[in-house]
């Protein structure tokens, strides 16, 4: 994965582009949501000095549709980034030992995403958006039920249901993420790719478990290390440099803010490494399953495959 990232450093522009597009989309959505929110009759509330807008059913349905589109477009933008990373990593796996060295795969990943597989990404992001809108509606009615009913058993059941919906959303995001990798690998439609990804994970559950554990540890060490180092350097600069010592009176608060900002930025960029690792693992397992005849796969994978075959033969002979 490190070799792939080193060969395709342009992949780090994807989060920046995605965040920019998301900000533009959020701005447009907020403007349209304000217009929809203003539709209705203002009614004075006795307990608050502010008025309340009374909506009819049509306005309520329009706002729910707008909320669903907010989730859908946001998930679609993130899904396109995931597919581009997956396609780029899969192309690199099968071409890294050619004359190109696996470079330029990001451009082809973008071409595949916009030319062939926008429908699959849109379908997967729609599933995520449906789950998210269900969670929002459930939370809205949960608060109303809890305000009207003080029964502890009812509150416990509502909290348990809310947690189950949260787990459902996490599962759908996990399945769609791996389905995008399979779409890039096999050129199948979304549902078939999702089933192939699920079957592949179940068949190699130990391998995926170890990879996710190692990747989780490495990512968190990297994110925390970068954040702490950046906050420490900021603290040294704020307390040792004469220019800042005269201006800044609370360097600790500024260092905490810098550390938090660094944490979220580093987490966004290192998520590329984690997702690329999943794509390369699925490429290797797919390569092993179909017996791809090419000789351009990574040398490290060739050595690993030879060692794995030797160990398998020795176990069978024993």
């Amino acid at each position: 994965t490190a070799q792939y990232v080193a060969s395709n450093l342009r992949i780090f522009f994807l989060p920046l582009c995605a965040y920019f597009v998301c900000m533009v989309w959020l701005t447009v959505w907020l403007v349209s949501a304000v217009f929809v929110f203003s539709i209705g009759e203002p009614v004075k509330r006795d307990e608050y000095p502010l008025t309340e807008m009374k909506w009819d059913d049509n306005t309520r349905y329009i706002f729910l549709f707008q909320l669903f589109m907010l989730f859908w477009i946001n998930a679609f933008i993130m899904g396109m980034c995931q597919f581009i990373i997956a396609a780029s990593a899969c192309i690199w796996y099968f071409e890294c030992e050619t004359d190109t060295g696996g470079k330029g795969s990001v451009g082809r990943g973008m071409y595949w995403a916009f030319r062939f597989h926008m429908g699959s990404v849109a379908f997967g992001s729609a599933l995520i958006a449906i789950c998210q809108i269900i969670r929002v509606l459930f939370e809205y009615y949960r608060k109303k039920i809890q305000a009207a009913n003080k029964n502890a058993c009812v509150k416990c059941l509502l909290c348990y249901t809310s947690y189950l919906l949260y787990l459902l959303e996490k599962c759908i995001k996990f399945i769609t993420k791996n389905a995008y990798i399979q779409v890039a690998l096999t050129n199948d439609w979304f549902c078939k790719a999702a089933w192939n990804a699920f079957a592949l994970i179940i068949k190699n559950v130990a391998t995926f478990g170890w990879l996710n554990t190692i990747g989780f540890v490495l990512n968190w060490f990297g994110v925390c290390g970068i954040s702490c180092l950046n906050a420490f350097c900021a603290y040294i600069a704020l307390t040792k440099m004469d220019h800042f010592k005269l201006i800044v009176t609370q360097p600790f608060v500024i260092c905490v803010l810098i550390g938090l900002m660094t944490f979220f930025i580093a987490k966004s960029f290192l998520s590329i490494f984690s997702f690329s690792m999943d794509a390369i693992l699925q490429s290797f397992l797919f390569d092993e399953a179909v017996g791809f005849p090419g000789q351009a796969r990574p040398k490290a994978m060739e050595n690993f495959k030879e060692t794995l075959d030797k160990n398998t033969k020795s176990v069978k002979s024993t």
Side-chain angles (χ1 to χ4, degrees):
T1 305
Q3 293 174 8
Y4 157 70
V5 173
S7 300
N8 297 274
L9 292 176
R10 288 185 298 171
I11 201 73
F12 286 112
F13 286 103
L14 272 180
L16 298 176
C17 297
Y19 290 146
F20 176 76
V21 175
C22 284
M23 288 178 61
V24 173
W25 160 241
L26 182 60
T27 303
V28 173
W29 184 87
L30 284 174
V31 172
S32 62
V34 169
F35 277 100
V36 173
F37 184 82
S38 64
I39 299 174
E41 293 294 331
V43 178
K44 184 179 180 181
R45 293 185 289 186
D46 297 332
E47 64 274 16
Y48 299 107
L50 299 177
T51 58
E52 180 184 7
M53 298 300 295
K54 288 293 185 181
W55 292 346
D56 58 10
D57 290 339
N58 290 332
T59 306
R60 190 172 291 107
Y61 295 149
I62 291 172
F63 184 77
L64 288 176
F65 176 75
Q66 274 194 317
L67 191 61
F68 173 75
M69 291 305 298
L70 172 66
F71 296 144
W72 191 6
I73 299 299
N74 183 66
F76 177 76
I77 295 171
M78 296 296 110
M80 289 294 284
C81 289
Q82 289 180 336
F83 180 85
I84 292 171
I85 296 171
S88 175
C90 294
I91 293 171
W92 175 87
Y93 176 87
F94 291 101
E95 294 185 0
C96 64
E97 293 299 327
T98 60
D99 295 337
T100 62
K103 296 180 180 179
S105 60
V106 179
R108 274 185 288 171
M110 294 180 65
Y111 176 75
W112 287 8
F114 287 99
R115 175 65 178 83
F116 300 110
H117 299 295
M118 287 185 67
S120 295
V121 178
F123 185 81
S125 56
L127 295 179
I128 297 174
I130 290 171
C131 187
Q132 289 174 337
I133 196 69
I134 291 174
R135 286 190 64 197
V136 169
L137 293 175
F138 178 80
E139 291 297 325
Y140 172 77
Y141 286 107
R142 181 169 76 93
K143 291 183 178 180
K144 285 185 171 294
I145 294 172
Q146 287 180 343
N149 194 329
K150 303 298 182 180
N151 192 312
C153 182
V154 173
K155 290 184 178 181
C156 181
L157 289 174
L158 290 173
C159 291
Y160 182 67
T161 307
S162 178
Y163 180 69
L164 290 179
L165 289 175
Y166 166 76
L167 290 180
L168 176 63
E169 182 184 349
K170 297 292 285 185
C171 290
I172 291 176
K173 286 183 177 180
F174 179 78
I175 292 173
T176 54
K177 179 186 73 171
N178 288 280
Y180 295 153
I181 299 174
Q182 283 293 315
V183 170
L185 269 175
T186 62
N187 201 30
D188 288 324
W189 58 300
F190 180 84
C191 292
K192 185 177 180 181
W195 174 254
N196 291 338
F198 177 76
L200 186 68
I201 293 171
I202 294 299
K203 184 179 179 181
N204 303 275
V205 63
T207 305
F208 277 93
W210 277 109
L211 178 75
N212 288 329
T213 303
I214 295 171
F216 176 81
V217 171
L218 288 176
N219 273 329
W220 276 98
F221 265 110
V223 171
C224 294
I226 294 171
S227 304
C228 293
L229 181 62
N230 205 12
F232 178 74
C233 292
Y235 181 80
I236 296 297
L238 293 174
T239 55
K240 299 300 181 181
M241 297 179 67
D242 296 334
H243 176 71
F244 293 114
K245 284 195 296 185
L246 298 175
I247 300 175
V248 180
T249 58
Q250 296 292 334
F252 181 75
V253 177
I254 298 177
C255 292
V256 171
L257 292 176
I258 291 175
L260 290 175
M261 292 174 60
T262 307
F263 178 85
F264 290 111
I265 294 173
K267 194 172 187 300
S268 300
F269 281 94
L270 286 181
S271 63
I272 296 176
F273 187 88
S274 176
F275 191 74
S276 302
M277 193 159 50
D278 291 336
I280 291 174
L281 175 63
Q282 289 202 35
S283 300
F284 169 72
L285 295 174
F286 177 78
D287 180 22
E288 189 181 34
V290 302
F292 187 70
Q295 301 297 324
R297 60 180 64 84
K299 293 297 183 182
M301 289 296 187
E302 289 281 358
N303 298 333
F304 175 73
K305 191 173 186 304
E306 292 175 1
T307 305
L308 189 65
D309 293 339
K310 290 180 181 179
N311 292 337
T312 303
K313 291 179 180 179
S314 62
V315 168
K316 287 182 178 180
S317 62
T318 304

